[in-house]
């Protein structure tokens, strides 16, 4: 059995520009029935994930089996080359509706599922269809790490990275690597040599730098992604603060 995406009046396509920031997404894709901010955040997270995988992405997507059995509506769905990735945004654990949907995913030839959860679940809470889907690789569970018992570990890891990047010397070393490779001799002309060696070691240990065979340094693949995301975050935050200040002035 194969599933196909059938647009209903509630289905909304999410273009890539709508996931540039949460405010844009939330404004353009409000759910008139479900006002839960947590579910909206999960939908945003799911849409970003699917679009990053170059999938056409839809909210409140209607999936219809080709064997004429009952259709189902899912929170977010991505499609690419005939394959479907279905995202279930759960805010209060697992329910019967989800179990039935996962059963349909299990029986399909072209669909897989990701279940987004705000916190970890006890394995005994899993329904049989979910357990089978997880074992077969037809479904995975992803816990958003800012809630419940996972918060402390996630915060510690993220804060460690922010502390690493929130340093003027390190940013002066990293930012130019977006343009070209960097050499120690170049750094020493602009930065205290003692700081150069210390920070190269710290950035390399964190996996952000790679040393090539010419003795120069490049951003690692994860370093490119993290640095770009960090600069984007700073720019978005600055823009939000500037807009807030302008609104305050207008309201005075």
């Amino acid at each position: 059995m194969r599933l196909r995406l059938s647009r209903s009046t509630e289905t909304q396509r999410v273009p890539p520009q709508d996931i540039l920031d949460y405010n844009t997404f939330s404004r353009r894709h409000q759910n008139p029935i479900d006002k839960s901010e947590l579910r909206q955040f999960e939908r945003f997270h799911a849409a970003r994930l699917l679009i990053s995988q170059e999938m056409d992405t839809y909210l409140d997507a209607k999936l219809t089996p080709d064997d004429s059995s009952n259709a189902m509506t899912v929170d977010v769905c991505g499609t690419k080359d005939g394959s479907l990735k279905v995202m279930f945004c759960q805010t209060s654990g697992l329910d019967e509706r989800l179990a039935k949907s996962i059963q349909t995913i299990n029986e399909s030839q072209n669909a897989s599922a990701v279940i987004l959860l705000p916190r970890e679940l006890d394995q005994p809470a899993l329904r049989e269809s979910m357990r089978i889907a997880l074992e077969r690789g037809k479904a995975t569970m992803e816990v958003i790490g800012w809630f419940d018992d996972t918060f402390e570990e996630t915060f510690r890891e993220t804060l460690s990275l922010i502390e690493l990047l929130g340093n003027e010397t390190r940013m002066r070393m990293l930012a130019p690597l977006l343009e070209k490779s960097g050499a120690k001799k170049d750094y020493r002309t602009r930065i205290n040599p003692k700081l150069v060696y210390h920070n190269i070691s710290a950035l390399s240990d964190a996996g952000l730098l790679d040393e090539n065979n010419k003795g120069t340094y490049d951003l690692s693949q994860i370093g490119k992604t993290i640095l770009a995301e960090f600069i984007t975050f700073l720019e978005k935050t600055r823009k939000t603060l500037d807009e807030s200040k302008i609104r305050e002035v207008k309201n005075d």
Side-chain angles (χ1 to χ4, degrees), residues 95-111:
D95 52 31
E96 186 61 32
R97 175 176 169 272
L98 175 63
K100 291 180 179 179
S101 296
I102 292 296
Q103 179 64 40
T104 301
I105 298 292
N106 262 334
E107 296 171 358
S108 73
Q109 299 173 348
N110 65 323

Side-chain angles (χ1 to χ4, degrees), residues 174-180 219 223-224 227-228 231:
L174 287 174
L177 298 182
L178 290 170
E179 301 180 81
K180 62 179 182 179
L219 291 168
K224 295 175 185 176
L227 182 60
I231 293 174

Side-chain angles (χ1 to χ4, degrees), residues 102-168:
I102 292 296
Q103 179 64 40
T104 301
I105 298 292
N106 262 334
E107 296 171 358
S108 73
Q109 299 173 348
N110 65 323
S112 60
V114 178
I115 304 169
L116 287 180
L117 296 162
R119 52 191 58 85
E120 295 279 1
L121 286 178
D122 293 333
Q123 287 297 316
L126 296 179
R127 307 291 180 92
E128 185 64 21
S129 61
M130 297 179 195
R131 198 182 305 280
I132 293 173
L134 292 170
E135 291 174 353
R136 294 179 59 200
K138 293 283 284 182
T140 57
M141 288 197 298
E142 179 180 332
V143 177
I144 299 177
W146 298 106
F147 305 91
D148 205 40
D149 295 337
T150 59
F151 174 83
E152 184 176 348
E153 180 181 354
T154 305
F155 183 75
R156 185 171 59 249
E157 293 175 352
T158 305
L159 185 60
S160 175
L161 188 57
I162 291 175
E163 288 178 345
L164 185 68
L165 296 176
N167 175 285
E168 182 181 355

Side-chain angles (χ1 to χ4, degrees), residues 18-19 21-22 25 40-48:
D18 284 5
I19 54 133
D21 60 74
Y22 179 69
F25 175 86
Q40 184 74 338
F41 175 74
E42 288 184 347
R43 283 155 58 95
F44 171 67
H45 179 79
R48 286 193 67 185

Side-chain angles (χ1 to χ4, degrees), residues 49-84:
L49 176 65
L50 295 175
I51 289 175
S52 72
Q53 297 174 4
E54 301 181 346
M55 305 187 89
D56 288 333
T57 300
Y58 300 87
L59 304 177
D60 301 312
K62 182 180 180 181
L63 303 184
T64 306
D66 59 10
D67 63 359
S68 301
S69 55
N70 292 334
M72 63 180 180
T73 299
V74 300
D75 294 304
V76 191
C77 180
T79 177
K80 183 179 181 182
D81 299 330
S83 295
L84 303 176

